[in-house]
C-alpha cells in the first residue's frame, strides 16, 4: 500500500538542510521528488560533516528517496527542462536567496504560467523582502537572530550558547512540510495552486514563542520574576552510574518522587502545586535532598522505584545508545540498508504511522550527484538531446 502522498510529484531546487529536509519528509510519506542540482559541485550539503563514500550523513538524512538531476539553470535549455518538469508537478520548492530564482527565469509567475495548479514553495532566511532579505543565511545566523540563542543562554554562561544542532533549519523544514501539505489539501478542495512563502526567521520565532517567551506573550503579567520558559530550570539528576531527568509536576508525581528517594514531603506548604509555587524555598529543599539521595543510587534501582511510584523520568542516553534502547527496539524506529556509495546506513523510519496508507522507506538511499539525469530527461522527451546537453556542459 503506497504512502498518503503517493502520486504527488515535487521538483526541488534546494540546498543544505531546510528545503531538502522539508521535501524529504514528504517523500517519506509517498511523494516523488526530483532534485535539480548544479553540475560539478551540487548541493553543498553533500559535503557537510561526516562523509562516507562521497556522501555526508546530513545529505543522506535530508535527501533519501529522491532522484538527482545535475542541470545548469543559467543555460536557457536547463531552465526549459525545469519548466517541463514543473508542468507535470504538484509542488516546486526552492530555498535560494530572494531574487536569484527570478534571475534564472523560474519565478512563481513563470512556473505558474506553465502550471497554474502548482504549489510553489519559497523558503528564505529572513523573508522575500525587507532590510535583511539580501543576506546569506545559515542555521546559526537564524538561531542568533530569532532569539533561540538568547533563550538557550543562562545567566551563568560566559558567552551565548547555541543549540548543538541545526535547530532553526529543522524547525523551518517541518513547518514548510506542513504548509506544503496544507496547500495541497486546499487545492484538492478547489482553491487551485498558490505561492507559499516561509522564512526561517518566522518559523523559528514561532517555535520559540510556543513556550519560551512567556513575558513577551502575556504582556500584562505580574510574574516577571519567573523565567520566560517553564522549562528553563530543568536539569538532570546524577545517579551512581549515569544521569536521568525526573519530571515531577503534579501533586502525585511530586510526592511520589519524594517517596522514591526517601525524602519527607509531608510539610503542608508542599501539599499542592499552588502551595509549592508559593513556598519555593521549601520546594527547592526537597529537590536538593532528592539529588543528594540519588548520588548513591544505581540507575536500575532508581528506574524501578520511579516507575513503581508513577513518576515521569527519562534516562540520559548518548546518541550512540538509541538504537539498542528497549523502547526504540520495540518501536522499530531504526532501519539499516546498504547504500551504493556510503556503505552501511542506519536511519530512523518515518515517525508518523498511517493505518491505511503506511509511510515506508521505498527508496532508502540518497542519490549520487546527477544519478538520474539521463533517466529523467528521457521521461520528459529530451532523450534525443542528452549528448548535446552533456557536450555543452548543461548536464553532468
Amino acid at each position: 500500500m503506497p504512502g498518503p502522498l503517493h502520486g504527488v510529484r515535487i521538483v526541488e531546487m534546494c540546498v543544505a538542510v531546510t528545503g531538502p529536509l522539508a521535501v524529504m519528509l514528504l517523500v517519506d510519506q509517498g511523494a516523488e521528488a526530483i532534485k535539480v542540482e548544479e553540475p560539478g559541485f551540487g548541493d553543498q550539503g553533500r559535503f557537510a560533516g561526516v562523509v562516507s563514500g562521497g556522501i555526508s550523513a546530513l545529505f543522506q538524512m535530508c535527501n533519501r528517496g529522491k532522484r538527482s538531476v545535475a542541470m545548469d539553470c543559467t543555460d536557457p535549455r536547463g531552465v526549459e527542462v525545469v519548466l517541463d518538469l514543473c508542468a507535470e508537478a504538484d509542488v516546486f520548492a526552492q530555498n535560494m536567496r530572494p531574487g536569484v530564482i527570478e534571475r534564472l527565469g523560474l519565478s512563481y509567475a513563470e512556473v505558474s504560467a506553465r502550471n497554474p495548479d502548482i504549489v510553489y514553495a519559497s523558503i528564505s532566511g529572513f523573508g522575500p523582502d525587507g532590510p535583511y532579505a539580501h543576506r546569506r543565511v545559515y542555521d546559526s545566523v537564524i538561531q542568533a537572530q530569532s532569539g533561540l540563542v538568547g533563550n538557550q543562554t543562562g545567566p551563568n554562561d560566559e558567552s551565548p550558547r547555541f543549540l548543538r544542532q541545526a535547530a532553526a533549519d529543522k524547525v523551518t523544514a517541518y513547518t514548510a512540510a506542513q504548509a506544503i501539505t496544507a496547500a495541497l489539501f486546499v487545492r484538492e478542495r478547489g482553491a487551485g495552486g498558490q505561492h507559499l512563502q516561509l522564512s526561517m526567521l518566522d518559523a523559528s520565532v514561532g517555535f520559540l514563542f510556543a513556550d519560551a517567551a512567556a513575558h513577551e506573550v502575556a504582556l500584562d503579567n505580574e510574574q516577571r520574576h519567573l523565567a520566560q520558559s517553564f522549562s528553563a530550570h530543568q536539569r538532570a539528576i546524577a545517579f551512581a552510574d549515569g544521569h536521568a531527568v525526573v519530571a515531577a509536576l503534579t501533586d502525585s508525581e511530586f510526592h511520589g518522587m519524594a517517596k522514591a528517594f526517601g525524602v519527607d514531603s509531608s510539610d503542608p506548604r508542599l501539599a499542592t502545586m499552588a502551595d509549592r509555587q508559593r513556598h519555593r524555598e521549601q520546594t527547592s529543599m526537597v529537590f536538593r535532598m532528592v539529588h543528594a539521595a540519588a548520588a548513591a543510587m544505581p540507575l536500575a534501582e532508581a528506574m524501578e522505584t520511579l516507575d513503581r511510584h508513577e513518576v515521569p523520568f527519562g534516562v540520559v542516553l548518548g546518541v550512540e545508545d538509541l538504537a539498542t534502547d528497549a523502547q526504540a527496539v520495540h518501536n522499530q524506529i531504526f532501519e539499516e540498508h546498504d547504500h551504493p556509495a556510503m556503505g552501511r546506513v542506519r536511519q530512523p523510519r518515518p515517525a508518523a504511522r498511517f493505518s491505511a496508507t503506511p509511510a515506508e522507506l521505498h527508496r532508502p538511499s540518497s542519490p549520487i550527484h546527477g544519478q538520474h539525469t539521463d533517466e529523467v530527461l528521457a521521461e520528459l522527451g529530451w532523450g534525443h538531446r542528452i549528448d548535446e546537453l552533456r557536450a555543452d556542459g548543461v548536464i553532468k
Side-chain angles (χ1 to χ4, degrees):
M1 182 70 69
L5 294 180
H6 177 71
V8 172
R9 302 191 69 184
I10 304 172
V11 178
E12 174 199 314
M13 291 185 68
C14 300
V15 297
V17 179
T18 307
L21 178 58
V23 173
M24 187 279 290
L25 293 167
L26 305 178
V27 170
D28 272 0
Q29 295 179 0
E32 173 195 353
I34 294 173
K35 183 180 181 72
V36 180
E37 303 182 66
E38 295 180 2
F41 191 78
D43 182 348
Q44 66 262 40
R46 290 181 174 276
F47 313 101
V50 175
V51 177
S52 177
I55 295 179
S56 72
L58 171 70
F59 187 83
Q60 165 63 26
M61 286 305 305
C62 293
N63 293 279
R64 65 188 181 205
K66 302 175 186 177
R67 293 195 288 171
S68 170
V69 172
M71 180 77 59
D72 181 3
C73 288
T74 63
D75 188 292
R77 291 167 292 181
V79 172
E80 192 60 31
V81 170
V82 174
L83 289 172
D84 281 355
L85 285 170
C86 290
E88 300 178 0
D90 299 286
V91 178
F92 178 74
Q94 62 89 13
N95 67 347
M96 300 180 188
R97 275 190 299 162
V100 174
I101 200 76
E102 288 80 9
R103 289 195 293 273
L104 291 175
L106 291 167
S107 67
Y108 173 64
E110 287 151 322
V111 170
S112 62
R114 186 71 66 93
N115 181 354
D117 286 332
I118 201 162
V119 172
Y120 186 111
S122 296
I123 304 170
S124 61
F126 286 109
D129 46 41
Y132 307 156
H134 65 283
R135 295 180 182 176
R136 288 182 177 270
V137 167
Y138 289 105
D139 174 84
S140 57
V141 174
I142 301 300
Q143 279 203 39
Q145 201 79 38
S146 68
L148 288 177
V149 171
N151 174 257
Q152 188 76 3
T153 305
N156 298 319
D157 292 320
E158 295 181 0
S159 62
R161 298 180 67 87
F162 287 76
L163 283 79
R164 301 177 70 174
Q165 54 183 290
D169 275 331
K170 292 190 289 185
V171 165
T172 308
Y174 278 77
T175 306
Q178 188 279 327
I180 290 169
T181 307
L184 289 171
F185 176 76
V186 77
R187 190 186 71 171
E188 291 301 303
R189 290 188 160 188
Q194 61 180 298
H195 189 188
L196 166 65
Q197 300 191 73
L198 172 67
S199 78
M200 293 173 65
L201 179 65
D202 290 12
S204 298
V205 170
F207 175 77
L208 176 73
F209 266 60
D211 74 315
H215 299 307
E216 311 314 313
V217 174
L219 295 177
D220 292 332
N221 85 83
E222 298 178 354
Q223 297 175 299
R224 295 283 166 173
H225 61 286
L226 298 181
Q228 289 274 20
S229 171
F230 66 87
S231 299
H233 301 298
Q234 290 183 144
R235 66 187 181 105
I237 296 177
F239 292 88
D241 54 351
H243 290 79
V245 64
V246 177
L249 301 179
T250 68
D251 296 339
S252 64
E253 292 165 356
F254 177 82
H255 295 292
M257 173 192 69
K259 290 177 183 176
F261 291 97
V263 175
D264 181 14
S265 64
S266 61
D267 187 330
R269 292 173 294 182
L270 303 172
T272 68
M273 185 180 294
D275 292 327
R276 293 191 294 277
Q277 287 179 339
R278 284 195 299 269
H279 302 97
R280 294 183 178 277
E281 179 54 40
Q282 288 74 21
T283 303
S284 296
M285 177 62 71
V286 169
F287 279 103
R288 288 195 292 270
M289 293 171 69
V290 164
H291 278 260
M297 184 181 291
L299 261 176
E301 179 184 338
M303 291 166 62
E304 187 279 327
T305 189
L306 288 167
D307 226 358
R308 181 157 39 84
H309 287 92
E310 298 186 349
V311 179
F313 70 93
V315 176
V316 177
L317 297 178
V319 175
E320 66 278 7
D321 301 322
L322 292 175
T324 56
D325 176 71
Q327 191 66 49
V329 171
H330 175 82
N331 288 5
Q332 297 180 323
I333 291 177
F334 292 99
E335 298 184 8
E336 295 188 14
H337 78 286
D338 291 315
H339 189 289
M342 295 182 71
R344 198 69 181 158
V345 168
R346 175 192 291 148
Q347 58 190 338
R349 58 160 177 77
R353 297 192 177 190
F354 299 83
S355 63
T357 55
E360 299 175 352
L361 301 182
H362 296 290
R363 290 180 175 171
S365 294
S366 59
I368 296 168
H369 184 215
Q371 179 179 345
H372 305 95
T373 301
D374 291 8
E375 175 182 299
V376 170
L377 286 173
E379 292 172 2
L380 284 175
W382 283 70
H384 63 291
R385 299 187 66 180
I386 288 176
D387 291 342
E388 166 206 335
L389 295 173
R390 182 159 287 119
D392 291 345
V394 180
I395 62 174
K396 177 181 176 182

